[in-house]
Amino acid sequence: MVQSLRDLVEAELSQPVDPRVSAMAEAIADKHGAASRAVLFYGSCLREKQLDGLMLDFYLIVSDYPSAYDKRWLVKANALIPPNVFPFHHDGLAAKYAVLSKADFHRLNGPETRNVSVWARFAQPSRLVWSSDEAAAGRAIDAVARAAPTLLAAAGGVDGEEPLDWWRRAFSLTYSAELRAERKGRSGSIVDIDPERYRRFSLPAMAAIPASAAGGGWARRRLQGKLLSVLRLAKASATYAGGAEYIAWKINRHAGTDIELKPWQKRHPLLAAISLLPRLLRSGAIR
C-alpha cells in the first residue's frame, strides 16, 4: 500500500536528530518567546555526524511578525521580503535561522508563489525539531507536504521521463532561479544522495499535484528569483552580524573558491557582495 504524502512527510520530519540540534532549536524558539510555533532543521548538515565547524540551518515558524520582534523595522522587513535571517550560536555550534510566519510558511510552500526558495528546500528532507504544541506541529507538516507537489508541478512532466529524472530536472530549474554558491551538478546530487527517498515520495507527490497547478514560466521565475536574492542580501547586511564572513564561507565551502575578505568588506557586507558578484559570476562560483 502506497503511503499518503502527508504520512511520508510526517514520518520523515519526526526522525531523530543530534541532541545538540534539538537544544539549539529550543534556544532559537526561546529567543522569540510565545510567538514561536515550530523549528525545522534542514540542509546538508542533516547528513553530518560531526557538527563542529559547520553552519547549521533552521527555519523558525512564528505566529505572526509583530509578536516575534520588539523592533518595528524587523517586522516590516520580514513581511516585505521574507524571511529574515539571523546568526545563532549555542553550545559551541554555529547556525543561521530564517523566520517565517505560519501563514507565509504555508503560502511559500505552495504553487501560489513563483518564489522557489522555500518549496525547493522543503521538497528535500528536513526535520521538525521543536514545536509549541500538536496543532503547531500539524500545521508545519501540512505546509511541508505542499512542497514536493509544487516542485514537480512547476517543472512540468515530460512524457516517458523516469521519476528520478523529473526530480533532478526540477531541482536544476530551482537552482537556476536563485543566486547559488554551488558546484555544477549539485542539484542532481540532491537526488543521488538518497534516490530511494525520492522513489518513495514520487507517486504520492505526483498524486498530490493540484489539477490547477501550472508549470513553466521559468524565465520569469529566474528573473524574480535572482532579484529577490539580491534584495535578501541587502536586507541581511542589516540583520545578519558577520554577514560578509558568512557569504565568503558559504561560497568557499560550496564552490571550492578561496575568497579572503578585506577589512572594508567585513565592515560593509552589502558592498562586499556587490564587489564580489562580477568575479563570482565570471568564475561560475555562483550562478
Side-chain angles (χ1 to χ4, degrees):
M1 180 178 176
V2 177
Q3 283 185 283
S4 73
L5 180 60
R6 191 189 189 281
D7 286 346
L8 285 171
V9 168
E10 182 175 11
E12 185 171 77
L13 287 174
S14 65
Q15 290 181 27
V17 297
D18 187 303
R20 293 187 297 169
V21 172
S22 298
M24 179 173 271
E26 186 173 355
I28 289 170
D30 285 346
K31 184 176 179 181
H32 293 267
S36 298
R37 289 293 178 266
V39 180
L40 295 114
F41 177 48
Y42 74 101
S44 59
C45 290
L46 278 178
R47 301 185 298 273
E48 301 290 344
K49 296 187 182 300
Q50 176 54 257
L51 301 176
D52 296 286
L54 300 180
M55 179 75 72
L56 281 61
D57 291 299
F58 296 90
Y59 262 81
L60 169 66
I61 312 306
V62 297
S63 55
D64 57 83
Y65 300 129
S67 300
Y69 300 113
D70 56 9
K71 295 179 180 177
R72 188 170 180 80
W73 73 270
L74 286 173
V75 174
K76 291 183 176 179
N78 217 145
L80 287 172
I81 311 172
N84 284 354
V85 181
F86 303 95
F88 198 76
H89 294 83
H90 183 77
D91 194 23
L93 295 180
K96 61 178 173 65
Y97 69 94
V99 180
L100 284 177
S101 69
K102 60 185 182 183
D104 275 348
F105 188 57
H106 183 86
R107 175 179 63 85
L108 291 170
N109 269 301
E112 57 266 42
T113 176
R114 289 183 175 274
N115 179 1
V116 309
S117 180
V118 175
W119 48 257
R121 282 160 179 77
F122 286 97
Q124 303 172 48
S126 58
R127 304 287 184 266
L128 178 59
V129 287
W130 181 90
S131 60
S132 59
D133 52 41
E134 287 187 11
R139 283 191 295 269
I141 294 166
D142 289 342
V144 173
R146 306 184 80 209
T150 300
L151 172 82
L152 295 178
V158 174
D159 288 342
E161 185 176 47
E162 292 294 325
L164 292 189
D165 290 330
W166 191 354
W167 288 100
R168 292 186 188 101
R169 182 170 53 82
F171 283 124
S172 179
L173 286 166
T174 67
Y175 269 58
S176 74
E178 296 183 279
L179 291 177
R180 299 298 299 261
E182 311 281 1
R183 291 184 179 91
K184 191 174 182 180
R186 165 68 177 162
S187 56
S189 71
I190 290 173
V191 176
D192 296 332
I193 285 169
D194 189 2
E196 184 53 40
R197 184 262 184 188
Y198 290 95
R199 288 191 186 96
R200 192 167 62 252
F201 272 65
S202 290
L203 287 178
M206 292 174 197
I209 294 174
S212 59
W218 282 95
R220 184 176 176 184
R221 277 195 177 94
R222 280 190 285 271
L223 177 60
Q224 290 180 342
K226 291 183 188 298
L227 286 173
L228 275 171
S229 295
V230 173
L231 289 172
R232 290 194 189 105
L233 184 61
K235 188 177 67 171
S237 68
T239 65
Y240 201 108
E245 289 92 335
Y246 169 70
I247 292 167
W249 174 87
K250 180 84 168 175
I251 292 170
N252 287 338
R253 179 170 183 261
H254 289 287
T257 52
D258 188 23
I259 295 169
E260 292 187 9
L261 297 176
K262 298 174 182 177
W264 71 266
Q265 290 174 311
K266 294 180 181 180
R267 292 193 302 271
H268 305 286
L270 177 57
L271 294 178
I274 293 171
S275 68
L276 289 171
L277 187 58
R279 169 186 162 193
L280 296 173
L281 289 170
R282 286 196 302 271
S283 68
I286 64 173
R287 289 174 289 278

